[in-house]
């Protein structure tokens, strides 16, 4: 009970901190509460120098860098820029630049808190200014690049007189036709030789080389075949087959560079076509890098349509803002494979993760297992659940990748060590084992697990979907036992939705105002983290917060117990598993951090240094 009271006190404090920057209202997603909440987009760029947290006399927290407000963007501290607040190796909170006070950037805390001399680290990846040089500035790929890079992209048309922007330290060159490079290459290779990055479309590169790269026609959708996992193909293991094509009439098209580079050439082959006879992705070392990829022929919408879902992934990766943790997994793994991967991870990290039997339908093949990481008993418990619907395998594999990141800590991130010291994290990767095995949403009894919870169960119209009574199904019982009996402080379930509904956190209907403020704060930080990383259709991928509908659901029920509860909704399928997995891992990490920060006891302010006391003057000795 004392822990619960402490949680509410901290959450109330967070709500007060977040009140100054309440999120805007956004569009409604199907199945969510009308009038769903959407956070403002935050941040324009990273800081260019180490920053400290200072405090003015009136108590306003400020960044220790005095700049003119109209020049703030040039210093990397525009209004909306988001920072991680770190005290040594400990995460203290997250804050954003809310305004300028007498030319001092002032902070508003989104999560946690801070004090003087805390370090401020930019959340958004350091993306350079990029100049797009193209002969069709209104083409689909130009609009998608603008969605990806936003304020960092400058567009110029290829012509006899090109206006080159001196701010831009990277270039993208796209040529749809014409004879621009017949007189030589004045813009791509020379810039790369100066040590810069240049991304060149396949057709433009073929013109630079004096070759022809005609469209290759196919009767069926075609793929790229990765050869190396390095550079901008990180996350795509060798032999990955990535759908990459455009539609033309009743067939499909793609474009390649003829032949395969030899070992003694500057060109490094990263991917070929299906026949393995032609080059699909190249990296050319000219002092700087020249990255060659086909950006024109995939005619579908980036991040959304088949054949084009990964269209901008390689470009974002080359620019330094691409996927951070994800691994490409284009098809659903079997249940036994998922459990074996978790078991192998537990064997590798014997002291870091514990496997436990949680329940099942009486048959071993339907057993439900959990994997617990982090601190031992006595620390707050946070529960992460996957596959309430049997078809939602993307959530299960994302939880596996999350466990790998937490245990392996590939970037040596001190926030992960801090998190594992302060919380217990229980992962339930597959709750609907029968549905998962048979690739169906309901379980063996025809019940949708997410409708089998004791939250407005009587009012739910679909009697078959809800089950014969609340918690009649094994997967729902496992969630109840974990949240209620183990007194979980937070619960997050991962589900998959369609693109129109969008990527989002669906919060528990009865979530308290402090919990709502907490979720809005973490989504603001998460959006800053994902900035410049992915595009879905014609928009940069950003999440929002919505409210669950009046219906039974795991999140609604967990929220009614007092726990911080939500459902994370990702979109798509195996083709865009890189995007889904990366978003899910980042979202889970930030959910864990937000929950952990809300449970931290505020540190007392440091005591002011004591003034040295002067020794009393010695009286002269009596004569």
């Amino acid at each position: 009970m004392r822990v619960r009271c402490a949680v509410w006190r901290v959450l109330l404090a967070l709500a007060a901190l977040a009140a100054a920057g309440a999120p805007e209202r956004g569009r409604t997603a199907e199945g969510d509460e009308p009038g769903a909440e959407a956070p403002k987009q935050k941040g324009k760029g990273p800081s260019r120098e180490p920053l400290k947290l200072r405090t003015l006399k009136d108590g306003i927290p400020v960044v220790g860098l005095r700049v003119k407000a109209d020049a703030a963007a040039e210093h990397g501290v525009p209004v909306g820029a988001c920072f991680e607040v770190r005290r040594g190796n400990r995460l203290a909170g997250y804050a954003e630049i809310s305004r300028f006070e007498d030319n001092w950037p002032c902070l508003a805390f989104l999560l946690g808190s801070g004090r003087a001399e805390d370090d401020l680290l930019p959340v958004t990846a350091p993306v350079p200014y990029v100049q797009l040089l193209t002969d069709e500035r209104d083409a689909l790929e130009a609009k998608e690049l603008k969605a990806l890079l936003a304020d960092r992209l400058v567009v110029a048309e290829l012509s006899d007189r090109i206006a080159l922007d001196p701010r831009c330290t990277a270039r993208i060159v796209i040529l749809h036709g014409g004879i621009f490079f017949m007189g030589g290459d004045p813009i791509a290779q020379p810039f790369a030789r100066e040590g810069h990055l240049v991304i060149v479309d396949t057709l433009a590169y073929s013109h630079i080389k004096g070759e022809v790269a005609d469209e290759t026609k196919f009767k069926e959708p075609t793929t790229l075949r990765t050869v190396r996992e390095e550079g901008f193909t990180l996350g795509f293991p060798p032999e990955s087959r990535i759908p990459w094509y455009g539609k033309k009439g009743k067939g499909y098209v793609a474009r390649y560079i003829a032949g395969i580079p030899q070992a003694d050439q500057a060109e490094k082959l990263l991917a070929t076509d299906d026949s393995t006879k032609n080059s699909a992705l190249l990296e050319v070392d000219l002092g700087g890098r020249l990255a060659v990829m086909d950006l024109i022929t995939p005619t579908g919408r980036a991040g959304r349509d088949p054949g084009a879902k990964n269209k901008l992934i390689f470009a974002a990766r080359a620019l330094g803002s691409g996927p951070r943790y994800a691994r490409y997994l284009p098809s659903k793994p079997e249940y036994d494979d998922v459990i074996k991967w978790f078991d192998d991870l537990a064997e590798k990290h014997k002291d870091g993760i514990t496997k436990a039997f949680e329940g099942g339908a009486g048959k071993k093949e339907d057993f439900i297992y959990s994997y617990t990481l982090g601190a031992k008993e006595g620390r707050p418990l946070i529960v992460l659940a996957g596959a309430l619907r049997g078809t939602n395998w993307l959530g299960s594999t994302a939880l596996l990748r999350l466990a790998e990141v937490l245990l392996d800590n590939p970037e040596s991130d001190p926030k992960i060590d801090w998190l594992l010291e302060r919380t217990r994290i229980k992962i339930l990767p597959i709750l609907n084992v029968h549905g998962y095995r048979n690739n169906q949403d309901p379980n063996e009894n025809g019940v949708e697990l997410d409708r089998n919870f004791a939250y407005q169960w009587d009012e739910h119209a679909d009697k078959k979907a809800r089950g014969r009574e609340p918690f009649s199904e094994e997967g729902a019982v496992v969630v109840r036992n974990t949240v209620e009996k183990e007194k979980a402080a937070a619960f997050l379930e991962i589900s998959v939705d369609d693109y129109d509904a969008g990527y989002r956190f669906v919060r528990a209907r009865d979530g308290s105002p402090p919990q709502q403020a907490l979720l809005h704060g973490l989504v603001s930080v998460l959006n800053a983290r994902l900035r410049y990383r992915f595009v879905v259709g014609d928009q940069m991928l950003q999440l929002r917060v919505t409210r669950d509908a009046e219906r039974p659901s795991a999140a609604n029920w967990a929220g009614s117990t007092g726990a911080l509860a939500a459902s994370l909704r990702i979109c798509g399928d195996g083709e865009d598993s890189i995007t889904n997995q990366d978003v899910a891992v980042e979202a889970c990490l930030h959910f864990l951090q937000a929950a952990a920060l809300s449970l931290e006891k505020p540190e007392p302010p440091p005591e002011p240094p004591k003034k040295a006391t002067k020794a009393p003057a010695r009286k002269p000795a009596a004569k």
Side-chain angles (χ1 to χ4, degrees):
M1 186 66 184
R2 293 174 64 186
V3 173
R4 289 276 179 184
C5 291
V7 172
W8 293 124
R9 284 198 296 271
V10 176
L11 288 173
L12 285 168
L14 282 168
L17 284 170
E24 295 177 342
R25 310 294 287 185
R27 65 186 180 89
T28 301
E30 183 179 357
D32 300 343
E33 178 73 9
E37 307 114 341
K40 296 178 182 178
Q41 294 201 1
K42 309 290 183 184
K44 287 196 174 183
S47 171
R48 296 182 182 179
E49 58 183 277
L51 298 176
K52 290 281 188 181
L53 180 62
R54 307 287 186 192
T55 306
L56 290 179
K57 291 181 180 179
D58 58 4
I60 300 173
V62 300
V63 176
L65 176 67
R66 187 179 175 91
V67 297
K68 290 184 178 180
D70 58 1
E74 296 303 317
H75 288 267
V77 285
V79 170
C82 188
F83 294 92
E84 175 186 320
V85 184
R86 192 179 291 179
R87 193 168 303 144
N89 285 331
R90 178 201 154 185
L91 177 66
Y94 287 97
E96 67 171 1
I97 305 295
S98 61
R99 68 186 190 282
F100 281 80
E101 189 91 14
D102 295 329
N103 292 337
W104 288 97
C106 299
L107 291 173
F109 283 92
L110 300 168
L111 297 170
S113 61
R115 67 187 188 200
E117 297 306 311
D118 283 347
D119 292 312
L120 300 177
L121 286 75
V123 169
T124 304
V127 174
Y129 279 101
V130 182
Q131 184 155 28
L132 170 61
L133 299 159
T134 179
D135 55 347
E136 293 186 20
R137 63 186 307 150
D138 293 325
L140 175 63
E141 65 277 359
K143 294 177 181 177
E144 291 169 339
L145 286 166
K146 185 64 178 176
L148 175 68
L149 296 171
D151 55 305
R152 314 303 285 182
L153 187 71
V154 179
V155 183
E157 286 197 24
L158 288 171
S159 63
D160 293 337
R161 302 180 67 181
I162 304 172
L164 297 176
D165 194 313
R167 296 175 302 166
C168 298
T169 55
R171 289 177 185 169
I172 300 175
V173 182
I174 298 178
L175 183 68
H176 294 81
I179 54 174
F180 181 80
F181 291 107
M182 284 194 68
D185 169 21
I187 56 174
Q189 294 175 108
F191 197 61
R193 289 191 181 99
E194 293 175 5
H196 301 295
L197 168 69
V198 183
I199 298 171
V200 184
D201 176 73
T202 302
L203 184 58
Y205 188 64
S206 67
H207 278 264
I208 290 171
K209 294 185 67 177
E211 299 175 356
V212 177
D214 291 329
E215 290 180 341
T216 304
K217 297 180 181 179
F218 302 90
K219 292 182 179 180
E220 301 292 336
T222 188
T223 62
L224 306 184
R225 169 185 164 269
T226 56
V227 176
R228 291 184 175 91
E229 184 184 3
E230 60 181 80
F232 58 84
T233 59
L234 283 174
F236 294 88
E239 300 302 323
S240 294
R241 299 300 178 107
I242 307 164
W244 198 284
Y245 55 83
K247 291 185 177 180
K248 201 163 192 178
K250 295 182 179 180
Y252 302 87
V253 293
R255 186 177 273 113
Y256 309 103
I257 301 295
I260 301 292
Q262 301 301 310
D264 59 347
Q265 292 180 281
E267 296 172 329
K268 181 187 293 183
L269 181 68
L270 298 181
T272 70
D273 63 347
D274 245 349
S275 72
T276 73
K277 296 179 180 179
N278 300 298
S279 303
L281 297 174
L282 292 170
E283 187 172 71
V284 188
D285 185 0
L286 297 175
R289 287 188 302 155
L290 200 71
V292 183
M293 60 193 71
D294 181 14
L295 295 173
I296 296 177
T297 52
T299 53
R301 293 167 293 178
R304 181 156 180 159
D305 292 334
K309 292 188 178 184
N310 295 292
K311 186 195 301 188
L312 298 184
I313 296 291
F314 300 124
R317 173 74 82 180
L319 290 165
S321 64
R324 189 178 177 196
Y325 293 122
R327 303 281 291 169
Y328 185 60
L329 190 65
S331 58
K332 173 188 171 184
E334 296 296 327
Y335 166 82
D336 295 324
D337 291 333
V338 175
I339 297 302
K340 184 180 184 304
W341 292 338
F342 268 102
D343 289 348
D344 290 345
L345 196 62
E347 180 65 24
K348 178 182 176 183
H349 299 274
K350 292 182 179 179
D351 296 330
I353 182 170
T354 304
K355 179 182 180 180
F357 167 76
E358 298 290 342
K363 298 180 293 184
K364 186 175 181 180
E365 56 266 28
D366 289 334
F367 282 179
I368 299 170
Y369 297 102
S370 70
Y371 297 84
T372 304
L373 302 79
K376 304 302 180 184
E377 297 296 329
R379 290 291 189 174
L381 176 67
I382 304 173
V383 181
L384 305 175
L388 278 162
R389 290 183 176 179
T391 56
N392 287 352
W393 63 272
L394 287 166
S396 302
T397 54
L399 288 173
L400 171 65
R401 183 59 184 143
L402 173 69
E404 292 174 341
V405 169
L406 289 171
L407 292 168
D408 294 332
N409 198 359
E411 296 185 355
S412 301
D413 186 351
K415 295 192 296 297
I416 288 179
D417 297 331
W418 169 85
L419 193 61
L420 293 176
E421 289 170 1
R422 284 162 172 75
T423 60
R424 287 188 301 133
I425 303 164
K426 176 171 279 194
I427 296 175
L428 300 162
I430 301 176
L431 284 165
N432 184 354
V433 179
H434 180 87
Y436 189 98
R437 286 187 181 277
N438 293 277
N439 201 34
Q440 63 184 40
D441 283 343
N443 68 0
E444 64 275 12
N445 299 321
V447 176
E448 293 186 18
L449 286 186
D450 207 29
R451 303 292 169 256
N452 192 233
F453 289 85
Y455 182 93
Q456 298 193 7
W457 183 87
D458 290 328
E459 290 79 13
H460 192 61
D462 192 335
K463 294 184 178 181
K464 183 177 181 180
R466 73 184 188 182
R468 67 178 186 274
E469 62 182 2
F471 302 112
S472 62
E473 309 306 309
E474 197 68 20
V477 171
V478 168
V479 173
R480 181 188 64 185
N481 291 344
T482 305
V483 172
E484 265 191 349
K485 293 184 179 180
E486 299 186 46
K487 296 180 173 58
F491 172 84
L492 180 67
E493 177 260 340
I494 304 179
S495 188
V496 181
D497 220 327
D498 59 57
Y499 293 109
D500 290 333
Y503 291 80
R504 65 199 189 281
F505 275 91
V506 181
R507 67 173 178 83
R509 187 168 184 81
D510 295 337
S512 66
Q515 290 175 335
Q516 295 174 39
L518 193 72
L519 286 170
H520 280 292
L522 87 85
V523 167
S524 294
V525 176
L526 178 59
N527 283 340
R529 184 80 69 190
L530 294 175
R531 190 167 175 80
Y532 310 123
R533 198 177 295 191
F534 302 110
V535 166
V536 180
D538 59 354
Q539 295 183 346
M540 186 187 300
L541 193 158
Q542 298 277 267
L543 284 80
R544 67 191 197 285
V545 180
T546 64
R547 185 187 186 192
D548 206 350
E550 293 188 69
R551 61 184 178 188
S553 73
N556 273 339
W557 172 80
S560 71
T561 70
L564 172 69
S567 173
L568 171 65
R569 304 295 172 84
I570 55 179
C571 306
D573 52 30
E575 184 178 334
D576 47 1
S577 58
I578 278 277
T579 302
N580 283 306
Q581 199 176 96
D582 211 53
V583 171
V585 171
E586 291 280 21
C588 287
L589 286 173
H590 285 77
F591 182 84
L592 293 168
Q593 292 168 17
L597 285 168
S598 74
L599 297 164
E600 287 271 274
K601 292 181 179 179
E603 288 187 5
E607 294 184 6
K610 294 181 179 179
K611 293 182 179 180
T613 55
K614 292 183 179 180
R618 296 179 63 182
K619 294 181 179 180
K623 292 183 180 180

